[in-house]
Amino acid sequence: MMDDIILNALKEDIGAGDYSTLSCVPETAQGSAELLVKENGILAGVEVAKRILFLFDATLQMKQVLADGEAVKKGDIAFYLSGSSRSILTVERTLLNVMQRMSGIATQTSEIVQSVSACNVKILDTRKTTPGFRLFEKMAVKIGGGENHRFGLYDMIMLKDNHIDYAGGIEAAILATHEYLKIKDLNLKLEIEVRNRTELEEVLRVGKVDRIMLDNFSPNQLIEVLQIIPSSFETEASGGITKENVLDYAKTGVNYISLGALTHSAKSLDLSLKAIF
């Protein structure tokens, strides 16, 4: 999947050819460049950058200085490149787009994880990702200290409000899901979303789920309902949670907090690839 994403990104950018470079840089020219950090944050995407370079021009050399997950500050050099000047110029934007995006997500994730470090809670991402770029965005969450929720629709069952409504209610949805998993011989965890205490009480009556997602509950409401949920169920808070209020949710004792903002609202970290002589 990684190679497919990279090759598609290169194809999207290069098309029929990098005419800016081809028109003025000699084919035999050799050059060097440095990856300059222009903003404080968490570095992410170095390992992906290595793969980008290899797939585009395996003769390009990287001298790595910093690694994924390291805290960086303005003025740091992450790595040096050397080789074909044409190749460095043509691959520059794809490499930077990936690393800036991943570093921004890792930075925001790290800030949120650190803010709740005193609480026994895990910070999760969601499927609210950029189409075609999910692998790298979820990698960035891990680099920033967060955890991945399900990757797609196929590696975990999550029954949300629309599933429940279409299925005819909570009990019908849970029982139908178990029957489907049995028929298909699938071993998947089952999570269900509840929107209020009444739905929660029905889930507790029916059982047969691994995790309960408490959607759009306030911290005070969470504290109240967590008292009636047996420890055999994992609990997850979601909906309306931000960097500003995540600590209030973490203090409730919920097991997991999922934030779409980890990926859909992260600001890219400012990085630059500069030619050196």
Side-chain angles (χ1 to χ4, degrees):
M1 186 180 291
M2 180 185 291
D3 286 0
D4 288 342
I5 296 170
I6 292 170
L7 292 172
N8 282 334
L10 289 169
K11 181 179 180 181
E12 174 186 59
D13 198 35
I14 299 167
D18 175 10
Y19 296 135
S20 302
T21 296
L22 294 173
S23 63
C24 66
V25 178
E27 183 177 1
T28 58
Q30 296 288 299
S32 299
E34 61 187 17
L35 195 290
L36 176 64
V37 178
K38 302 175 71 175
E39 186 178 3
N40 296 352
I42 301 297
L43 188 67
V46 176
E47 294 304 312
V48 178
K50 291 178 182 178
R51 192 63 184 168
I52 293 171
L53 296 171
F54 175 80
L55 290 174
F56 182 71
D57 181 351
T59 68
L60 288 173
Q61 298 295 311
M62 175 193 286
K63 181 181 177 183
Q64 185 175 341
V65 179
L66 300 172
D68 286 335
E70 289 197 52
V72 294
K73 62 184 184 301
K74 183 178 180 180
D76 283 346
I77 304 299
F79 55 74
Y80 297 93
L81 297 182
S82 60
S84 165
S85 297
R86 282 186 170 185
S87 292
I88 291 172
L89 286 166
T90 302
V91 81
E92 173 185 359
R93 178 46 53 196
T94 298
L95 186 150
L96 283 173
N97 283 349
V98 170
M99 289 198 63
Q100 288 178 310
R101 178 75 177 139
M102 289 185 67
S103 296
I105 291 171
T107 298
Q108 177 160 270
T109 301
S110 178
E111 291 172 355
I112 291 173
V113 169
Q114 291 301 314
S115 73
V116 300
S117 60
C119 305
N120 186 24
V121 65
K122 292 183 178 179
I123 298 297
L124 302 175
D125 56 22
T126 70
R127 286 171 44 246
K128 295 177 182 178
T129 55
T130 307
F133 202 70
R134 180 175 297 173
L135 175 65
F136 294 157
E137 292 182 341
K138 283 184 170 281
M139 286 173 63
V141 168
K142 292 282 286 185
I143 290 169
E147 299 290 336
N148 295 150
H149 206 297
R150 58 179 180 162
F151 188 86
L153 295 169
Y154 53 84
D155 55 343
M156 182 179 183
I157 297 286
M158 182 186 290
L159 303 179
K160 302 196 77 175
D161 52 357
N162 285 338
H163 297 95
I164 292 166
D165 291 341
Y166 282 149
I170 287 172
E171 183 169 9
I174 293 174
L175 296 181
T177 297
H178 273 274
E179 182 64 20
Y180 180 85
L181 293 174
K182 180 179 178 181
I183 293 171
K184 297 297 184 179
D185 193 27
L186 294 172
N187 182 25
L188 298 174
K189 292 189 71 171
L190 171 54
E191 177 171 7
I192 191 166
E193 175 185 274
V194 297
R195 295 164 284 191
N196 51 56
R197 181 165 181 148
T198 300
E199 291 186 347
L200 171 61
E201 289 174 348
E202 184 172 359
V203 168
L204 295 178
R205 177 182 63 79
V206 177
K208 299 180 180 293
V209 302
D210 300 291
R211 185 183 302 175
I212 300 171
M213 175 188 283
L214 300 148
D215 188 49
N216 284 304
F217 282 64
S218 70
N220 287 337
Q221 289 173 323
L222 277 176
I223 291 171
E224 179 183 330
V225 299
L226 285 172
Q227 297 178 30
I228 68 170
I229 302 176
S231 60
S232 55
F233 296 99
E234 296 176 339
T235 56
E236 177 182 334
S238 185
I241 304 174
T242 66
K243 184 164 56 177
E244 290 70 33
N245 65 18
V246 65
L247 181 57
D248 293 332
Y249 283 87
K251 287 178 178 178
T252 65
V254 71
N255 301 132
Y256 299 95
I257 297 174
S258 55
L259 296 92
L262 291 185
T263 50
H264 71 56
S265 297
K267 173 185 172 294
S268 293
L269 196 71
D270 195 2
L271 305 171
S272 181
L273 193 65
K274 293 294 187 182
I276 54 177
F277 298 95

